[in-house]
Every structure is written in structure tokens, then in C-alpha cells.
Amino acid sequence: MPRIQTQRITRLDGGNQIVEVIDESGASIPAPTASTAGGVKLGATIAAAAAATATADTASSATDVAGLLADHNDLVNKYNALLADALVLRNTINAVLTQLKAQTIPI
């Protein structure tokens, strides 16, 4: 099987192209650490997002105002749990984006 050769055009000379053959036989990328860029720098560990606490709700079957109020309050509590879950997820995503902007990668 023929060996694939990597070439880089170094300049154009009139209608001719001058190419440089790149020797990749000795090239290696070191493993990343917190202080050595090996493709990327190793970033701080980012924990997985916390488990969701919000739960699904069902349609109200209340037949009076007191029952509707109880169902409404239950729905408000579930909505607030959903907002809290969204905030935790937003913070996790922001932490990952911060790492990406710093050109580091979480382990």
C-alpha cells in the first residue's frame, strides 16, 4: 500500500507551485495536563448536572374553589422546581462554556 504524503504549498512561483513534504513520522502530541497543551490544556473537572427535581403534573379534577386552589399551589410549586432545575443546568452549561473559551477541556 502506498504511503500517504502530507504536503504544504510554500509559495507560488509564476504558474508553478513549490511544495514542502512534511515528515510526520516523528510527530507526536503529548498528553494534556493542567500546564501542558497537548492538543488542548486539561481543565478542571465539571460535575454532571444535578438530577431534575421537577415532576409532571396532571389536570385538575377539583370541583370547588378550595380544590382548585390546592391544585394551583401544587402547580406553582412544580413550576418553581422546574425553574430551580433550569438554573442548575444553566450554571453547568456556563461552566463548560467558560472552559471552552479558555481553550481547556474538562476531564
Side-chain angles (χ1 to χ4, degrees):
M1 171 170 253
R3 182 171 178 263
I4 296 175
Q5 204 176 60
T6 303
Q7 298 178 346
R8 175 176 44 220
I9 298 173
T10 55
R11 74 169 193 246
L12 294 174
D13 187 10
N16 301 319
Q17 292 181 349
I18 309 285
V19 296
E20 174 186 359
V21 177
I22 301 169
D23 179 19
E24 295 177 343
S25 62
S28 66
I29 298 174
T33 67
S35 59
T36 302
V40 295
K41 287 185 181 175
L42 188 65
T45 301
I46 297 175
T53 59
T55 58
D57 206 356
T58 57
S60 174
S61 59
T63 57
D64 59 8
V65 174
L68 283 174
L69 180 61
D71 286 348
H72 168 76
N73 289 338
D74 181 56
L75 185 60
V76 168
N77 289 335
K78 289 178 179 174
Y79 173 78
N80 288 336
L82 183 61
L83 286 177
D85 288 345
L87 178 63
V88 169
L89 185 57
R90 179 177 177 256
N91 290 339
T92 300
I93 290 171
N94 282 338
V96 171
L97 290 174
T98 299
Q99 293 259 320
L100 290 173
K101 288 176 185 176
Q103 298 178 342
T104 60
I105 190 167
I107 57 172

